[in-house]
Amino acid sequence: MRIVNRVFQRQFSAGTVIVAVAVWMVLFCNYSFFSNVLGVYPLSLGNVGFIVSLGLLLVAVTVLLLAPFAAGRLLKPLLIAMLLVASMSAYFMDSYNLIVSTELIESAMQTDSSETMGLLSLKLVVYLGLFGILPAVLVYRARIRPRPFRAGLLSRVKLLGVSLVAIVAIIGVFNSAYASFFREHKSVRFYTNPVTPVYTAIKYADEKLVGNTTLPYQQIGLDAQQQPSAGKRRLMVLVVGETAREDHFSLNGYGRDTNPLLAERQVTSFDNVWSCGTATAISVPCMFSVLDRAHYGEQQAKSTDNVLDILQRAGVNVAWLDNNSDSKGVALRVPYVSYRSSDVNPICDAECRDEGMLEGVRKYVKEHPTGDILIVLHQMGSHGPEYAKRYPSKFAHFSPSCQSNLLEDCSEAEINNAYDNSIRYTDYFLSRVIDYLKDESADFSPAMLYLSDHGESLGENGIYLHGFPYALAPDDQKHVPMVFWSGDGYTRVQNKLAQKDFVHRKFSQDNLFHTLLGLMDVKTSVYQPALDMFANG
């Protein structure tokens, strides 16, 4: 105890504290980075020097980031915040092999309390306590030697200079190795902690703060008109899925029978469909936007009419029923009801179930005796990591299943069992939607389109969940299922579906905007037939 007291009675220079914090974070918060490094540079006599140099380089870069703040009252709060961020980032990177990307931050910012609870664990507490709070307390108690302004400025300049010299020297000694590393292993570099989380957070904040003030709201499709129908009213249900993978649908050739009920209902499944993003917060607004993935921007999408706005303006009755966190801004101007509460959803056990939204569908249809109807159902689907909570116990078809939110603690088989059970529940839910639509076929021309927002990594190459930067994300996070069913009144669509290999053509969420306009027969100058999946020609 005396030794501890003596340490805290000593005064340290700001530079010493910064270097100590940088070394701590590199040693204890970069397991994922070094494990990925070892994946491409196996530990050997020839590689050990380069691997050690990576650690030294990361320390030098971290010191370089912190050196400008090596004086004044801002230093301690900054170092404490950095330690907490690094420890939290380390937990998610080590547990799920995630990269802290803008997609991940956007998803986290829009995560509700129940989803947050699903990510909590004792391991998170340990990471935060040992790697974040413990060193943060030491920093808080450390006595930093005060210096006059000029001396403090000179100290910062020296620290910056030493860091820069160290960086240049390290890269110079291993020049050829770093040339290869920077050119060929970009994904590994995204695991550097805290460099990547800090860079990503600054980038995210810049996009939010700078982009928020510049775009006035723009209405599009003001000329939209729905063509009169000689037949029955159209009744379409669009199901926005959550975290479903194309290759886990038995309709698409998956070895397990995950779609027994949809197979009986003669649906059409498309097996070459790709998402706009790898997180709900990006994919959902993107798929309803007139902007394609290459040109999508959050602020521009938020400040522009989406396809639901245009359909509603053209006279279609539009509603959004949600059993997920929310509509991510898509349903701000159309009727919206959340089904996350037992006060609204009649089917709740461990959590409120997707099928409870069918009561809302029935109610909305009865309340709208005229005009065509489009109802969006936003599923909880297969939202991870607690896949076993996404389905009632009677759907535990595959067992044993993973019951933990720490997927690394479960076997590959247990993870896939839980995930596939959630897909079977989606199969059941979609079959219920179709059966309801069939019952309404005397009064309506019914149709259902199902499209998942993004996919999911289930441990392939040690990667779990989703939210990777799109360019680096595995196909598991981008290749999504899409299913279509219709009754009478969609001859144009049926003719398309009859074409050879049509269901194997490449489509994406870019097609949804124009396909919905086509299905509801709404004509407008913003409609592009080439992007309507079912357009003639």
Side-chain angles (χ1 to χ4, degrees):
M1 194 66 182
R2 289 181 179 178
I3 296 175
V4 173
N5 289 333
R6 286 179 182 176
V7 169
F8 284 119
Q9 287 172 2
R10 281 189 59 188
Q11 286 190 334
F12 300 92
S13 69
T16 299
V17 176
I18 286 175
V19 172
V21 169
V23 170
W24 176 276
M25 290 188 290
V26 170
L27 288 177
F28 296 106
C29 298
N30 276 277
Y31 171 80
S32 287
F33 171 65
F34 286 109
S35 63
N36 278 278
V37 167
L38 292 173
V40 292
Y41 295 95
L43 192 59
S44 66
L45 197 59
N47 289 334
V48 67
F50 175 67
I51 294 170
V52 171
S53 80
L54 281 170
L56 296 175
L57 180 66
L58 188 51
V59 169
V61 170
T62 304
V63 171
L64 186 69
L65 289 174
L66 296 171
F69 308 96
R73 296 179 180 180
L74 183 61
L75 179 60
K76 281 190 177 182
L78 178 66
L79 293 179
I80 289 170
M82 192 78 76
L83 285 164
L84 297 177
V85 167
S87 63
M88 291 282 286
S89 300
Y91 167 75
F92 286 104
M93 284 194 256
D94 295 352
S95 299
Y96 303 110
N97 205 12
L98 294 175
I99 287 174
V100 180
S101 62
T102 52
E103 291 90 342
L104 193 65
I105 293 178
E106 179 71 24
S107 183
M109 294 298 291
Q110 299 191 27
T111 296
D112 62 19
S113 58
S114 64
E115 292 173 345
T116 300
M117 291 297 293
L119 293 170
L120 299 182
S121 68
L122 178 60
K123 183 178 177 181
L124 173 58
V125 175
V126 171
Y127 264 71
L128 186 59
L130 288 181
F131 303 145
I133 294 175
L134 174 61
V137 170
L138 297 178
V139 168
Y140 176 77
R141 293 192 61 185
R143 299 177 64 192
I144 298 177
R145 186 182 305 119
R147 290 194 172 187
F149 175 78
R150 289 184 63 181
L153 180 61
L154 181 61
S155 176
R156 291 197 294 273
V157 171
K158 286 180 179 179
L159 196 58
L160 282 166
V162 170
S163 301
L164 284 170
V165 169
I167 291 169
V168 172
I170 292 168
I171 294 177
V173 171
F174 297 93
N175 181 52
S176 59
Y178 276 104
S180 171
F181 179 74
F182 288 133
R183 183 177 62 251
E184 300 176 11
H185 303 295
K186 183 178 181 179
S187 61
V188 176
R189 291 188 280 121
F190 277 98
Y191 287 97
T192 53
N193 188 15
V195 175
T196 294
V198 169
Y199 167 78
T200 305
I202 293 173
K203 180 182 177 184
Y204 178 81
D206 178 66
E207 290 174 354
K208 290 291 182 182
L209 296 176
V210 175
N212 243 339
T213 59
T214 55
L215 298 176
Y217 192 84
Q218 179 184 8
Q219 289 185 310
I220 61 173
L222 294 175
D223 58 344
Q225 291 186 339
Q226 189 177 30
Q227 303 303 299
S229 173
K232 303 170 187 175
R233 290 197 290 154
R234 302 174 186 87
L235 170 59
M236 182 168 186
V237 174
L238 170 62
V239 181
V240 177
E242 171 67 52
T243 319
R245 284 171 54 150
E246 178 275 340
D247 63 350
H248 277 247
F249 269 45
S250 54
L251 292 171
N252 299 329
Y254 185 46
R256 287 177 153 186
D257 193 9
T258 52
N259 306 126
L261 300 176
L262 287 177
E264 294 173 357
R265 283 157 179 77
Q266 298 180 321
V267 300
T268 299
S269 182
F270 296 82
D271 60 11
N272 194 11
V273 183
W274 300 84
S275 69
C276 183
T278 62
T280 304
I282 295 173
S283 289
V284 169
C286 182
M287 71 168 76
F288 287 91
S289 170
V290 69
L291 304 168
D292 59 19
R293 190 187 73 79
H295 300 93
Y296 175 78
E298 179 193 359
Q299 296 306 323
Q300 189 174 354
K302 279 185 176 180
S303 61
T304 307
D305 279 345
N306 60 58
V307 68
L308 300 187
D309 299 316
I310 296 172
L311 290 170
Q312 182 172 251
R313 185 180 299 124
V316 178
N317 298 299
V318 178
W320 184 292
L321 311 184
D322 206 305
N323 196 41
N324 205 302
S325 53
D326 56 49
S327 73
K328 308 307 177 187
V330 176
L332 294 178
R333 295 166 292 278
V334 302
Y336 172 92
V337 181
S338 172
Y339 279 76
R340 294 292 299 279
S341 168
S342 58
D343 294 337
V344 178
N345 193 325
I347 305 178
C348 298
D349 40 61
E351 65 181 24
C352 290
R353 301 301 176 186
D354 292 335
E355 60 184 303
M357 291 188 288
L358 281 171
E359 292 300 314
V361 173
R362 295 186 182 95
K363 182 175 182 290
Y364 187 84
V365 171
K366 288 179 181 179
E367 292 174 349
H368 292 80
T370 61
D372 290 349
I373 298 174
L374 170 66
I375 302 175
V376 181
L377 304 181
H378 189 195
Q379 277 189 279
M380 177 57 74
S382 300
H383 194 290
E386 295 182 298
Y387 307 119
K389 289 184 66 176
R390 305 288 92 93
Y391 53 89
S393 58
K394 65 181 179 180
F395 285 88
H397 183 79
F398 305 106
S399 63
S401 59
C402 179
Q403 302 295 313
S404 173
N405 61 0
L406 287 175
L407 298 179
E408 61 177 2
D409 291 345
C410 296
S411 68
E412 179 183 350
E414 289 171 334
I415 295 171
N416 278 279
N417 287 342
Y419 183 80
D420 288 345
N421 287 336
S422 72
I423 298 295
R424 278 183 71 102
Y425 179 62
T426 287
D427 173 73
Y428 167 76
F429 170 62
L430 296 179
S431 73
R432 289 285 312 277
V433 172
I434 292 171
D435 291 345
Y436 165 75
L437 291 172
K438 285 181 177 178
D439 291 341
E440 295 292 332
S441 59
D443 300 317
F444 291 94
S445 293
M448 182 202 76
L449 179 63
Y450 165 83
L451 176 61
S452 184
D453 58 352
H454 54 76
E456 184 87 327
S457 290
L458 297 173
E460 298 87 359
N461 299 313
I463 300 172
Y464 298 94
L465 303 181
H466 53 268
F468 255 54
Y470 199 91
L472 299 176
D475 287 350
D476 304 320
Q477 297 186 25
K478 299 183 290 188
H479 196 182
V480 295
M482 183 168 69
V483 175
F484 183 80
W485 174 89
S486 69
D488 296 334
Y490 295 88
T491 304
R492 175 174 68 95
V493 176
Q494 296 303 329
N495 290 339
K496 271 285 187 180
L497 297 178
Q499 293 179 8
K500 183 180 179 181
D501 294 330
F502 180 73
V503 298
H504 305 305
R505 281 181 54 187
K506 186 174 183 178
F507 295 108
S508 75
Q509 291 174 346
D510 293 347
N511 296 105
L512 182 66
F513 181 100
H514 306 278
T515 299
L516 287 179
L517 291 175
L519 286 169
M520 303 308 289
D521 211 3
V522 170
K523 303 302 180 186
T524 170
S525 57
V526 297
Y527 168 70
Q528 297 182 46
L531 291 175
D532 179 354
M533 292 172 54
F534 305 121
N536 294 323

